[in-house]
Coordinates of all heavy atoms in Angstrom, one line a residue:
N1110 N -31.3 38.7 -34.1 CA -30.4 39.9 -34.4 C -29.3 39.9 -33.3 O -29.5 39.6 -32.2 CB -31.1 41.2 -34.6 CG -31.8 41.6 -33.3 OD1 -31.7 41.0 -32.3 ND2 -32.6 42.7 -33.4
T1113 N -28.8 41.3 -29.1 CA -29.5 40.9 -27.9 C -29.0 39.5 -27.5 O -29.5 39.0 -26.4 CB -31.0 40.8 -28.2 OG1 -31.3 40.1 -29.3 CG2 -31.6 42.2 -28.2
P1159 N -40.5 34.0 -22.2 CA -40.9 34.1 -23.6 C -42.5 34.1 -23.7 O -43.0 34.7 -24.7 CB -40.3 32.8 -24.2 CG -39.3 32.4 -23.3 CD -39.6 32.8 -21.9
K1161 N -44.5 35.8 -22.0 CA -44.9 37.2 -22.0 C -44.6 37.9 -23.3 O -45.3 38.7 -23.9 CB -44.3 37.9 -20.8 CG -44.9 37.6 -19.5 CD -44.3 38.5 -18.4 CE -44.6 37.9 -17.0 NZ -43.7 38.4 -16.0
L1162 N -43.3 37.6 -23.8 CA -42.9 38.3 -25.0 C -43.8 37.9 -26.2 O -44.1 38.7 -27.0 CB -41.5 37.8 -25.4 CG -40.3 38.1 -24.4 CD1 -39.0 37.4 -24.9 CD2 -40.2 39.6 -24.2
A1163 N -44.3 36.7 -26.1 CA -45.2 36.2 -27.2 C -46.5 37.0 -27.3 O -47.2 37.0 -28.3 CB -45.5 34.7 -27.0
K1164 N -46.9 37.6 -26.1 CA -48.2 38.3 -26.1 C -48.0 39.8 -26.6 O -49.0 40.5 -26.7 CB -48.7 38.3 -24.7 CG -49.3 37.0 -24.3 CD -50.0 37.1 -23.0 CE -50.4 35.7 -22.5 NZ -50.2 35.6 -21.0
D1165 N -46.8 40.2 -26.8 CA -46.5 41.6 -27.1 C -45.9 41.7 -28.5 O -44.8 41.3 -28.7 CB -45.6 42.1 -26.0 CG -45.3 43.6 -26.1 OD1 -45.6 44.2 -27.3 OD2 -44.7 44.2 -25.2
E1166 N -46.6 42.3 -29.4 CA -46.2 42.4 -30.8 C -44.9 43.1 -30.9 O -44.0 42.7 -31.8 CB -47.3 43.1 -31.6 CG -47.4 42.9 -33.1 CD -47.1 41.4 -33.6 OE1 -47.6 40.4 -33.1 OE2 -46.4 41.4 -34.6
T1167 N -44.6 44.1 -30.0 CA -43.3 44.8 -30.1 C -42.1 44.0 -29.7 O -41.0 44.4 -29.8 CB -43.4 46.1 -29.3 OG1 -43.5 45.7 -27.9 CG2 -44.6 47.0 -29.6
Q1168 N -42.4 42.9 -29.1 CA -41.3 42.1 -28.6 C -41.0 40.8 -29.5 O -40.3 39.9 -29.0 CB -41.6 41.5 -27.1 CG -41.8 42.6 -26.1 CD -40.4 43.3 -25.9 OE1 -39.4 42.7 -26.0 NE2 -40.5 44.6 -25.8
K1169 N -41.5 40.9 -30.7 CA -41.3 39.7 -31.6 C -39.9 39.3 -31.8 O -39.5 38.1 -31.7 CB -42.0 40.1 -32.9 CG -42.4 38.9 -33.7 CD -43.3 39.3 -34.8 CE -43.4 38.0 -35.7 NZ -43.8 38.2 -37.0
Q1170 N -39.0 40.4 -32.0 CA -37.6 40.0 -32.3 C -36.9 39.5 -31.0 O -36.1 38.6 -31.1 CB -36.9 41.3 -32.8 CG -35.4 41.0 -33.2 CD -35.3 40.0 -34.4 OE1 -36.0 40.2 -35.4 NE2 -34.5 39.0 -34.2
A1171 N -37.3 40.1 -29.9 CA -36.8 39.6 -28.6 C -37.1 38.1 -28.4 O -36.3 37.3 -28.0 CB -37.3 40.4 -27.4
L1172 N -38.3 37.7 -28.7 CA -38.8 36.3 -28.6 C -38.0 35.4 -29.6 O -37.5 34.3 -29.2 CB -40.3 36.2 -29.0 CG -40.8 34.8 -28.9 CD1 -40.8 34.2 -27.5 CD2 -42.3 34.7 -29.4
I1173 N -37.8 35.9 -30.8 CA -37.0 35.2 -31.8 C -35.6 34.9 -31.2 O -35.1 33.8 -31.3 CB -36.9 35.9 -33.2 CG1 -38.3 35.9 -33.8 CG2 -35.8 35.4 -34.1 CD1 -38.4 36.8 -35.0
N1174 N -35.0 35.9 -30.7 CA -33.7 35.8 -30.1 C -33.6 34.8 -29.0 O -32.7 33.9 -29.0 CB -33.2 37.2 -29.6 CG -33.0 38.1 -30.7 OD1 -32.9 37.8 -31.9 ND2 -32.8 39.4 -30.4

Side-chain angles (χ1 to χ4, degrees):
N1110 65 3
T1113 49
K1161 284 190 193 152
L1162 301 177
K1164 284 189 191 141
D1165 182 346
E1166 203 39 46
T1167 66
Q1168 295 297 322
K1169 203 165 169 202
Q1170 186 63 47
L1172 178 65
I1173 290 171
N1174 292 347

